[in-house]
């Protein structure tokens, strides 16, 4: 099994890279998707978040009100740390289950936005970082409905590009469009993934 840790800042195009790797045969374990699952209605994770932050983080239908929770944690590092202490162990446990279910000869890509922040870089055979100009990331996030101020706050709450590059085995630059990004993924697969499978 070849384990690849995939990371990049919010709005960098990391999900696009994960999808391209899946097309080439990788098993993708998406930490963001798992993070949503572990706080779905009726889960112990959601109950723990409500116990920590109160009923105001619930939507009328009983689901997690993500904008309300974001308003609390993105401007308050201590609150964010409290949220992380609830959610991260649940995400890691679910990711470990997915990893154990993958075939022994699989290429497993773990898509982890906070790989650097949570100190997990050393857990992987390769760390793949997707990097995009900050202003382009802000533009993308505004296109998804965030205000520019919220977009910048979320970017600032994550590791810097320099911190990600420091742990990267390979850096993909996503500033020139999907075709160029796809070409970089093809090179990565040919140069780093396929040779590893021949050992």
């Amino acid at each position: 099994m070849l384990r690849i840790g995939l990371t990049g800042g919010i709005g960098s195009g990391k999900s696009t890279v994960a999808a391209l790797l899946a097309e080439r045969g990788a098993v993708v374990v998406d930490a963001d998707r798992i993070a949503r699952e572990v706080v779905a209605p009726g889960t112990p994770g959601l109950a723990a978040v409500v116990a920590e932050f109160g009923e105001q983080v619930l939507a009328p239908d009983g689901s997690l009100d993500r904008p309300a929770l974001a308003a609390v944690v993105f401007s308050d590092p201590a609150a964010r740390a409290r949220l992380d202490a609830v959610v991260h162990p649940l995400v890691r446990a679910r990711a470990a289950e997915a990893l154990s279910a993958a075939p022994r000869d699989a290429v497993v890509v773990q898509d982890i936005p906070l790989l650097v922040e949570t100190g997990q870089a050393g857990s992987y055979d390769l760390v793949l970082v997707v990097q995009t100009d900050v202003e382009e990331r802000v533009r993308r996030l505004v296109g998804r409905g965030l205000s520019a101020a919220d977009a910048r706050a979320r970017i600032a709450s994550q590791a810097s590009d320099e911190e990600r590059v420091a742990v990267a085995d390979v850096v993909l630059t996503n500033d020139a469009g999907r075709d160029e990004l796809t070409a970089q993924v093809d090179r990565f697969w040919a140069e780093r993934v396929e040779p590893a499978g021949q050992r």
Side-chain angles (χ1 to χ4, degrees), residues 163-185:
E163 288 168 322
R164 287 191 199 92
V165 169
V167 303
D169 293 295
V170 177
V171 177
L172 305 182
T173 303
N174 183 21
D175 290 327
R178 188 181 175 97
D179 288 349
E180 172 55 28
L181 184 62
T182 300
Q184 291 180 68
V185 170

PDB file of all heavy atoms in Angstrom, residues 163-185:
ATOM      1  N   GLU A 163       4.748  26.749   5.302  1.00  0.00           N
ATOM      2  CA  GLU A 163       4.679  25.607   6.224  1.00  0.00           C
ATOM      3  C   GLU A 163       4.298  24.326   5.487  1.00  0.00           C
ATOM      4  O   GLU A 163       4.817  23.242   5.797  1.00  0.00           O
ATOM      5  CB  GLU A 163       3.674  25.899   7.344  1.00  0.00           C
ATOM      6  CG  GLU A 163       4.173  26.938   8.335  1.00  0.00           C
ATOM      7  CD  GLU A 163       3.079  27.437   9.273  1.00  0.00           C
ATOM      8  OE1 GLU A 163       1.921  27.615   8.828  1.00  0.00           O
ATOM      9  OE2 GLU A 163       3.394  27.659  10.453  1.00  0.00           O
ATOM     10  N   ARG A 164       3.414  24.435   4.496  1.00  0.00           N
ATOM     11  CA  ARG A 164       3.035  23.243   3.730  1.00  0.00           C
ATOM     12  C   ARG A 164       4.201  22.768   2.867  1.00  0.00           C
ATOM     13  O   ARG A 164       4.485  21.566   2.795  1.00  0.00           O
ATOM     14  CB  ARG A 164       1.811  23.529   2.861  1.00  0.00           C
ATOM     15  CG  ARG A 164       0.531  23.640   3.645  1.00  0.00           C
ATOM     16  CD  ARG A 164      -0.684  23.662   2.728  1.00  0.00           C
ATOM     17  NE  ARG A 164      -1.809  24.200   3.462  1.00  0.00           N
ATOM     18  CZ  ARG A 164      -2.136  25.485   3.469  1.00  0.00           C
ATOM     19  NH1 ARG A 164      -1.472  26.359   2.744  1.00  0.00           N
ATOM     20  NH2 ARG A 164      -3.156  25.906   4.182  1.00  0.00           N
ATOM     21  N   VAL A 165       4.867  23.705   2.192  1.00  0.00           N
ATOM     22  CA  VAL A 165       5.988  23.338   1.317  1.00  0.00           C
ATOM     23  C   VAL A 165       7.092  22.646   2.123  1.00  0.00           C
ATOM     24  O   VAL A 165       7.748  21.719   1.638  1.00  0.00           O
ATOM     25  CB  VAL A 165       6.521  24.574   0.577  1.00  0.00           C
ATOM     26  CG1 VAL A 165       7.845  24.282  -0.114  1.00  0.00           C
ATOM     27  CG2 VAL A 165       5.493  25.044  -0.454  1.00  0.00           C
ATOM     28  N   ALA A 166       7.260  23.050   3.374  1.00  0.00           N
ATOM     29  CA  ALA A 166       8.318  22.484   4.212  1.00  0.00           C
ATOM     30  C   ALA A 166       8.139  20.991   4.443  1.00  0.00           C
ATOM     31  O   ALA A 166       9.125  20.271   4.683  1.00  0.00           O
ATOM     32  CB  ALA A 166       8.379  23.218   5.555  1.00  0.00           C
ATOM     33  N   VAL A 167       6.915  20.473   4.374  1.00  0.00           N
ATOM     34  CA  VAL A 167       6.679  19.039   4.598  1.00  0.00           C
ATOM     35  C   VAL A 167       6.361  18.301   3.295  1.00  0.00           C
ATOM     36  O   VAL A 167       6.162  17.082   3.307  1.00  0.00           O
ATOM     37  CB  VAL A 167       5.538  18.791   5.620  1.00  0.00           C
ATOM     38  CG1 VAL A 167       5.846  19.482   6.941  1.00  0.00           C
ATOM     39  CG2 VAL A 167       4.189  19.245   5.075  1.00  0.00           C
ATOM     40  N   ALA A 168       6.322  19.008   2.176  1.00  0.00           N
ATOM     41  CA  ALA A 168       5.886  18.415   0.904  1.00  0.00           C
ATOM     42  C   ALA A 168       6.986  17.590   0.251  1.00  0.00           C
ATOM     43  O   ALA A 168       8.159  17.974   0.259  1.00  0.00           O
ATOM     44  CB  ALA A 168       5.449  19.514  -0.058  1.00  0.00           C
ATOM     45  N   ASP A 169       6.585  16.460  -0.322  1.00  0.00           N
ATOM     46  CA  ASP A 169       7.456  15.731  -1.238  1.00  0.00           C
ATOM     47  C   ASP A 169       7.273  16.251  -2.658  1.00  0.00           C
ATOM     48  O   ASP A 169       8.218  16.278  -3.447  1.00  0.00           O
ATOM     49  CB  ASP A 169       7.136  14.236  -1.194  1.00  0.00           C
ATOM     50  CG  ASP A 169       7.494  13.631   0.160  1.00  0.00           C
ATOM     51  OD1 ASP A 169       8.686  13.608   0.491  1.00  0.00           O
ATOM     52  OD2 ASP A 169       6.575  13.215   0.880  1.00  0.00           O
ATOM     53  N   VAL A 170       6.036  16.638  -2.975  1.00  0.00           N
ATOM     54  CA  VAL A 170       5.706  17.176  -4.297  1.00  0.00           C
ATOM     55  C   VAL A 170       4.720  18.322  -4.106  1.00  0.00           C
ATOM     56  O   VAL A 170       3.790  18.213  -3.298  1.00  0.00           O
ATOM     57  CB  VAL A 170       5.074  16.091  -5.206  1.00  0.00           C
ATOM     58  CG1 VAL A 170       4.660  16.679  -6.557  1.00  0.00           C
ATOM     59  CG2 VAL A 170       6.039  14.918  -5.402  1.00  0.00           C
ATOM     60  N   VAL A 171       4.929  19.412  -4.850  1.00  0.00           N
ATOM     61  CA  VAL A 171       4.011  20.555  -4.831  1.00  0.00           C
ATOM     62  C   VAL A 171       3.408  20.708  -6.219  1.00  0.00           C
ATOM     63  O   VAL A 171       4.134  20.765  -7.219  1.00  0.00           O
ATOM     64  CB  VAL A 171       4.731  21.862  -4.430  1.00  0.00           C
ATOM     65  CG1 VAL A 171       3.764  23.052  -4.492  1.00  0.00           C
ATOM     66  CG2 VAL A 171       5.337  21.741  -3.042  1.00  0.00           C
ATOM     67  N   LEU A 172       2.074  20.744  -6.281  1.00  0.00           N
ATOM     68  CA  LEU A 172       1.368  21.037  -7.524  1.00  0.00           C
ATOM     69  C   LEU A 172       0.889  22.484  -7.448  1.00  0.00           C
ATOM     70  O   LEU A 172       0.338  22.897  -6.428  1.00  0.00           O
ATOM     71  CB  LEU A 172       0.155  20.118  -7.702  1.00  0.00           C
ATOM     72  CG  LEU A 172       0.403  18.618  -7.651  1.00  0.00           C
ATOM     73  CD1 LEU A 172      -0.905  17.866  -7.899  1.00  0.00           C
ATOM     74  CD2 LEU A 172       1.458  18.187  -8.652  1.00  0.00           C
ATOM     75  N   THR A 173       1.087  23.236  -8.526  1.00  0.00           N
ATOM     76  CA  THR A 173       0.663  24.630  -8.563  1.00  0.00           C
ATOM     77  C   THR A 173      -0.596  24.743  -9.402  1.00  0.00           C
ATOM     78  O   THR A 173      -0.603  24.374 -10.579  1.00  0.00           O
ATOM     79  CB  THR A 173       1.776  25.520  -9.160  1.00  0.00           C
ATOM     80  OG1 THR A 173       2.959  25.330  -8.384  1.00  0.00           O
ATOM     81  CG2 THR A 173       1.381  26.982  -9.104  1.00  0.00           C
ATOM     82  N   ASN A 174      -1.660  25.246  -8.778  1.00  0.00           N
ATOM     83  CA  ASN A 174      -2.958  25.304  -9.446  1.00  0.00           C
ATOM     84  C   ASN A 174      -3.339  26.751  -9.756  1.00  0.00           C
ATOM     85  O   ASN A 174      -4.296  27.286  -9.207  1.00  0.00           O
ATOM     86  CB  ASN A 174      -4.021  24.638  -8.569  1.00  0.00           C
ATOM     87  CG  ASN A 174      -5.379  24.586  -9.231  1.00  0.00           C
ATOM     88  OD1 ASN A 174      -5.482  24.675 -10.459  1.00  0.00           O
ATOM     89  ND2 ASN A 174      -6.417  24.460  -8.444  1.00  0.00           N
ATOM     90  N   ASP A 175      -2.550  27.376 -10.627  1.00  0.00           N
ATOM     91  CA  ASP A 175      -2.829  28.765 -11.014  1.00  0.00           C
ATOM     92  C   ASP A 175      -3.155  28.906 -12.496  1.00  0.00           C
ATOM     93  O   ASP A 175      -3.530  29.986 -12.939  1.00  0.00           O
ATOM     94  CB  ASP A 175      -1.617  29.665 -10.705  1.00  0.00           C
ATOM     95  CG  ASP A 175      -1.395  29.872  -9.214  1.00  0.00           C
ATOM     96  OD1 ASP A 175      -2.390  29.907  -8.460  1.00  0.00           O
ATOM     97  OD2 ASP A 175      -0.227  29.982  -8.807  1.00  0.00           O
ATOM     98  N   ALA A 176      -2.986  27.820 -13.281  1.00  0.00           N
ATOM     99  CA  ALA A 176      -3.053  27.958 -14.739  1.00  0.00           C
ATOM    100  C   ALA A 176      -4.184  27.176 -15.380  1.00  0.00           C
ATOM    101  O   ALA A 176      -4.182  26.950 -16.579  1.00  0.00           O
ATOM    102  CB  ALA A 176      -1.717  27.544 -15.357  1.00  0.00           C
ATOM    103  N   GLY A 177      -5.168  26.746 -14.588  1.00  0.00           N
ATOM    104  CA  GLY A 177      -6.314  26.058 -15.176  1.00  0.00           C
ATOM    105  C   GLY A 177      -6.243  24.549 -15.040  1.00  0.00           C
ATOM    106  O   GLY A 177      -5.204  23.965 -14.718  1.00  0.00           O
ATOM    107  N   ARG A 178      -7.375  23.912 -15.315  1.00  0.00           N
ATOM    108  CA  ARG A 178      -7.507  22.476 -15.085  1.00  0.00           C
ATOM    109  C   ARG A 178      -6.585  21.644 -15.966  1.00  0.00           C
ATOM    110  O   ARG A 178      -6.049  20.627 -15.522  1.00  0.00           O
ATOM    111  CB  ARG A 178      -8.965  22.048 -15.285  1.00  0.00           C
ATOM    112  CG  ARG A 178      -9.207  20.600 -14.859  1.00  0.00           C
ATOM    113  CD  ARG A 178     -10.647  20.172 -15.084  1.00  0.00           C
ATOM    114  NE  ARG A 178     -10.818  18.772 -14.773  1.00  0.00           N
ATOM    115  CZ  ARG A 178     -11.278  18.303 -13.619  1.00  0.00           C
ATOM    116  NH1 ARG A 178     -11.610  19.133 -12.658  1.00  0.00           N
ATOM    117  NH2 ARG A 178     -11.419  17.006 -13.421  1.00  0.00           N
ATOM    118  N   ASP A 179      -6.386  22.033 -17.229  1.00  0.00           N
ATOM    119  CA  ASP A 179      -5.534  21.234 -18.110  1.00  0.00           C
ATOM    120  C   ASP A 179      -4.117  21.150 -17.571  1.00  0.00           C
ATOM    121  O   ASP A 179      -3.502  20.070 -17.569  1.00  0.00           O
ATOM    122  CB  ASP A 179      -5.524  21.815 -19.529  1.00  0.00           C
ATOM    123  CG  ASP A 179      -6.841  21.580 -20.256  1.00  0.00           C
ATOM    124  OD1 ASP A 179      -7.682  20.802 -19.752  1.00  0.00           O
ATOM    125  OD2 ASP A 179      -7.038  22.198 -21.324  1.00  0.00           O
ATOM    126  N   GLU A 180      -3.587  22.265 -17.125  1.00  0.00           N
ATOM    127  CA  GLU A 180      -2.230  22.276 -16.580  1.00  0.00           C
ATOM    128  C   GLU A 180      -2.168  21.481 -15.274  1.00  0.00           C
ATOM    129  O   GLU A 180      -1.214  20.747 -15.022  1.00  0.00           O
ATOM    130  CB  GLU A 180      -1.762  23.712 -16.350  1.00  0.00           C
ATOM    131  CG  GLU A 180      -0.435  23.850 -15.598  1.00  0.00           C
ATOM    132  CD  GLU A 180       0.727  23.097 -16.225  1.00  0.00           C
ATOM    133  OE1 GLU A 180       0.735  22.885 -17.461  1.00  0.00           O
ATOM    134  OE2 GLU A 180       1.643  22.713 -15.464  1.00  0.00           O
ATOM    135  N   LEU A 181      -3.201  21.606 -14.449  1.00  0.00           N
ATOM    136  CA  LEU A 181      -3.238  20.838 -13.204  1.00  0.00           C
ATOM    137  C   LEU A 181      -3.292  19.341 -13.505  1.00  0.00           C
ATOM    138  O   LEU A 181      -2.585  18.535 -12.869  1.00  0.00           O
ATOM    139  CB  LEU A 181      -4.446  21.259 -12.359  1.00  0.00           C
ATOM    140  CG  LEU A 181      -4.561  20.604 -10.979  1.00  0.00           C
ATOM    141  CD1 LEU A 181      -3.375  20.962 -10.098  1.00  0.00           C
ATOM    142  CD2 LEU A 181      -5.872  21.010 -10.311  1.00  0.00           C
ATOM    143  N   THR A 182      -4.101  18.952 -14.484  1.00  0.00           N
ATOM    144  CA  THR A 182      -4.194  17.544 -14.872  1.00  0.00           C
ATOM    145  C   THR A 182      -2.844  17.029 -15.353  1.00  0.00           C
ATOM    146  O   THR A 182      -2.437  15.908 -15.012  1.00  0.00           O
ATOM    147  CB  THR A 182      -5.258  17.362 -15.974  1.00  0.00           C
ATOM    148  OG1 THR A 182      -6.521  17.812 -15.471  1.00  0.00           O
ATOM    149  CG2 THR A 182      -5.376  15.913 -16.406  1.00  0.00           C
ATOM    150  N   ALA A 183      -2.123  17.833 -16.116  1.00  0.00           N
ATOM    151  CA  ALA A 183      -0.796  17.429 -16.588  1.00  0.00           C
ATOM    152  C   ALA A 183       0.161  17.213 -15.416  1.00  0.00           C
ATOM    153  O   ALA A 183       0.971  16.270 -15.425  1.00  0.00           O
ATOM    154  CB  ALA A 183      -0.243  18.490 -17.541  1.00  0.00           C
ATOM    155  N   GLN A 184       0.077  18.068 -14.408  1.00  0.00           N
ATOM    156  CA  GLN A 184       0.933  17.896 -13.229  1.00  0.00           C
ATOM    157  C   GLN A 184       0.583  16.617 -12.469  1.00  0.00           C
ATOM    158  O   GLN A 184       1.468  15.912 -11.986  1.00  0.00           O
ATOM    159  CB  GLN A 184       0.793  19.099 -12.295  1.00  0.00           C
ATOM    160  CG  GLN A 184       1.378  20.386 -12.843  1.00  0.00           C
ATOM    161  CD  GLN A 184       1.189  21.522 -11.854  1.00  0.00           C
ATOM    162  OE1 GLN A 184       1.780  21.537 -10.785  1.00  0.00           O
ATOM    163  NE2 GLN A 184       0.349  22.487 -12.220  1.00  0.00           N
ATOM    164  N   VAL A 185      -0.717  16.316 -12.357  1.00  0.00           N
ATOM    165  CA  VAL A 185      -1.136  15.076 -11.695  1.00  0.00           C
ATOM    166  C   VAL A 185      -0.631  13.870 -12.487  1.00  0.00           C
ATOM    167  O   VAL A 185      -0.140  12.890 -11.906  1.00  0.00           O
ATOM    168  CB  VAL A 185      -2.673  15.033 -11.521  1.00  0.00           C
ATOM    169  CG1 VAL A 185      -3.131  13.648 -11.066  1.00  0.00           C
ATOM    170  CG2 VAL A 185      -3.125  16.095 -10.530  1.00  0.00           C
TER     171      VAL A 185
END
